[in-house]
Amino acid sequence: MKAIKILLTIALTYFIGLSGTAQKTMLLSKGTVHVGNGKVINQGLIGIKGNKIILVDNALTHNLDPTLWDTIIDLKGLDVYPGFFAPNSKLGLTEIDAVRATRDFREVGTYNPHVRSLTAYNAESEIIGTVKTNGVLYTQATPEGGIISGTSSIMSLNAWNWEDAVIKKDDGIHLNWPSTAVGGNWNSSSPTKKSNDNYSSRLKEIRAFFEAALSYSETKDLFDPRFEAMRELFKGEKRLYIHADEMRALLDIIDFQRELEIKFPVIIGGYDAYKVADQLNAYNIPVMIKGGHTLPSNEDDPIDLPYRLPYLLKEAGVLFCIQNSGRMETMNTRNIPFLAGTAMAYGLTEEEAISAISLNTAKILGIEKLAGSIEEGKLATLFVNKGTPLDMRSNNLILGMVNGAFIDLTNVQTKLYDKYKSKYENEK
């Protein structure tokens, strides 16, 4: 293992030295390539030029000419994975949840489609470093609060600033659908769930706003910043991310998007999505499902239902990905690969679990031509691992790359580990 690290360090140092000259080429050779689309290439070759992948092939069948490459790194015995995604995330928008001054993911007001997370994104967040070391290399910076929270953007996790980080700006608007039930939570005054008496009135209010926005999109005589942000939604240039879980809400959402002709709706949460899979498939509505490290939502649910949801959606043919919204989600972003590992333990194959946090996410976000898998023409965002990144017991990320540039794998946690490790070693 030490020899591998020395070899990679030498190659990395050499390639960084070349980075000042444009369009240098590099070949990652003979690693096991997990493409992200379900395919695995043993002894794979990955050719990189600039920030793009220009070659993906099998070393056993490819007629390799070493003179075509400025740098060749031998990865025999190691595994290569596409960069993982953290969709629906406050990563980069908050640093310490308990400190109000570091929280920049919520604005006052109820309907804020014009509020953009893009310019609030902090590329220098200390938390980002702890996430990259587990292979999470992209995030969807997502606002919260109100009925319409605002507009998210897709960012890479290796950048100088938000301008440098953006992969797709203003990718979609986030709508918090009203809950059809109230109570039943540990912090609720009602120990059991009951119908939400305000659900119908809230739904009428949302529909009225969208109908007004639709009418506005058909005229050029007025200017309203809220409705202006909605214009691209009705053109199909933005997605509508609808946060909802209950079956009745999901059925109402299907009717809502059909009647208003929303071209790219996405469900975020979707706890009951497996119950309405046929309807979701009929209208091509994908789901960003919450990772399974949680308790069931209903008293009569099987105890393992949150763990089996990815498998149930896969069996039903619903396009889905895994996200980790909830309490302490920002710092727990690093655990997204392990959420996929749990889904693997409850029915998904290893490659299906990898797709659930890579290519599937890219498809749902609409950037599958740029990212999400290790394929020719896509951005060179990937990482090399000794072991599997889906299991915290064997996860050992050796090198990472974002848009063709190697990334620093140290962070505040690794620095503290090394600091105190040396302290106690010196005391022996």
Side-chain angles (χ1 to χ4, degrees):
M1 188 63 196
K2 186 175 180 180
I4 292 173
K5 286 188 175 181
I6 292 173
L7 173 63
L8 292 175
T9 301
I10 293 172
L12 177 59
T13 303
Y14 175 64
F15 192 74
I16 289 175
L18 292 174
S19 61
T21 305
Q23 301 299 305
K24 290 294 182 179
T25 58
M26 176 176 58
L27 183 70
L28 305 180
S29 175
K30 298 183 179 179
T32 299
V33 180
H34 301 261
V35 178
N37 60 4
K39 297 181 181 178
V40 179
I41 305 174
N42 296 313
Q43 296 198 49
L45 298 174
I46 305 173
I48 298 168
K49 184 176 183 180
N51 66 345
K52 293 291 183 67
I53 297 171
I54 60 172
L55 170 71
V56 178
D57 206 349
N58 194 314
L60 299 178
T61 58
H62 184 82
N63 185 18
L64 179 63
D65 182 357
T67 63
L68 297 177
W69 306 96
D70 297 304
T71 305
I72 298 178
I73 301 179
D74 187 354
L75 300 179
K76 188 175 182 179
L78 302 173
D79 290 79
V80 189
Y81 298 86
F84 296 153
F85 283 80
N88 183 38
S89 177
K90 298 195 297 286
L91 183 65
L93 302 180
T94 185
E95 198 70 10
I96 304 171
D97 287 342
V99 179
R100 175 65 184 88
T102 72
R103 302 199 302 264
D104 204 7
F105 54 83
R106 185 189 298 263
E107 291 291 342
V108 296
T110 305
Y111 290 88
N112 292 317
H114 57 300
V115 171
R116 307 167 74 201
S117 66
L118 179 67
T119 55
Y121 179 77
N122 175 21
E124 297 291 344
S125 169
E126 293 279 8
I127 302 173
I128 288 176
T130 70
V131 168
K132 290 190 292 186
T133 51
N134 275 0
V136 179
L137 304 179
Y138 291 117
T139 187
Q140 181 191 29
T142 304
E144 287 188 0
I147 293 179
I148 296 183
S149 306
T151 303
S152 59
S153 289
I154 303 166
M155 322 293 282
S156 72
L157 297 187
N158 190 57
W160 290 102
N161 47 45
W162 68 261
E163 294 99 329
D164 192 33
V166 64
I167 300 297
K168 184 177 182 180
K169 66 177 181 178
D170 301 331
D171 69 291
I173 291 171
H174 290 257
L175 168 62
N176 295 302
W177 198 262
S179 177
T180 61
V182 294
N185 299 322
W186 66 270
N187 60 347
S188 171
S189 59
S190 176
T192 58
K193 286 188 175 182
K194 62 180 182 179
S195 296
N196 181 5
D197 295 335
N198 296 322
Y199 176 74
S200 296
S201 61
R202 293 285 299 277
L203 194 55
K204 289 179 181 178
E205 181 183 310
I206 291 172
R207 185 180 294 274
F209 182 87
F210 271 79
E211 288 174 349
L214 178 59
S215 297
Y216 176 92
S217 69
E218 297 170 351
T219 181
K220 298 181 180 179
D221 298 332
L222 304 171
F223 180 82
D224 183 304
R226 297 183 307 162
F227 292 155
E228 196 66 32
M230 301 281 285
R231 190 186 293 275
E232 294 177 339
L233 178 69
F234 296 109
K235 291 180 179 179
E237 297 171 5
K238 285 183 182 177
R239 280 157 167 70
L240 178 62
Y241 297 99
I242 310 172
H243 299 244
D245 284 300
E246 301 103 338
M247 182 173 65
R248 178 185 170 188
L250 298 178
L251 291 173
D252 286 341
I253 287 169
I254 292 171
D255 291 338
F256 176 83
Q257 65 84 30
R258 185 188 71 247
E259 293 167 6
L260 291 174
E261 299 182 350
I262 304 296
K263 294 180 174 57
F264 293 108
V266 177
I267 301 295
I268 295 183
Y271 183 82
D272 286 338
Y274 70 100
K275 298 178 181 179
V276 294
D278 290 342
Q279 293 91 327
L280 293 174
N281 284 329
Y283 291 97
N284 297 315
I285 302 176
V287 180
M288 289 185 179
I289 193 169
K290 185 178 178 181
H293 294 178
T294 186
L295 294 173
S297 294
N298 305 307
E299 291 182 354
D300 55 350
D301 287 341
I303 190 65
D304 63 348
L305 180 58
Y307 304 99
R308 293 192 294 114
L309 285 176
Y311 173 74
L312 294 175
L313 290 181
K314 188 269 296 187
E315 287 293 285
V318 176
L319 176 61
F320 74 95
C321 69
I322 293 175
Q323 48 95 18
N324 74 316
S325 60
R327 297 176 69 239
M328 301 177 70
E329 73 176 57
T330 309
M331 62 171 289
N332 284 326
T333 303
R334 62 177 181 253
N335 291 329
I336 285 178
F338 309 140
L339 298 179
T342 299
M344 176 181 165
Y346 281 81
L348 297 187
T349 66
E350 181 177 8
E351 300 310 314
E352 288 169 345
I354 291 168
S355 295
I357 52 176
S358 57
L359 185 57
N360 282 11
T361 312
K363 288 178 179 179
I364 293 172
L365 297 176
I367 59 169
E368 69 274 18
K369 293 182 179 180
L370 279 178
S373 59
I374 301 174
E375 297 180 88
E376 292 180 20
K378 294 192 176 184
L379 294 172
T381 298
L382 49 83
F383 64 95
V384 178
N385 205 290
K386 178 68 174 178
T388 173
L390 306 186
D391 188 340
M392 65 178 67
R393 297 170 299 179
S394 62
N395 176 43
N396 185 8
L397 197 143
I398 293 174
L399 69 80
M401 175 181 291
V402 173
N403 299 341
F406 286 107
I407 61 175
D408 183 7
L409 296 179
T410 62
N411 57 57
V412 63
Q413 294 172 347
T414 61
K415 290 175 182 177
L416 287 173
Y417 173 81
D418 291 337
K419 175 181 177 179
Y420 285 97
K421 179 182 178 183
S422 63
K423 167 183 167 59
Y424 292 115
E425 285 178 347
N426 293 335
E427 290 180 354
K428 290 182 180 179

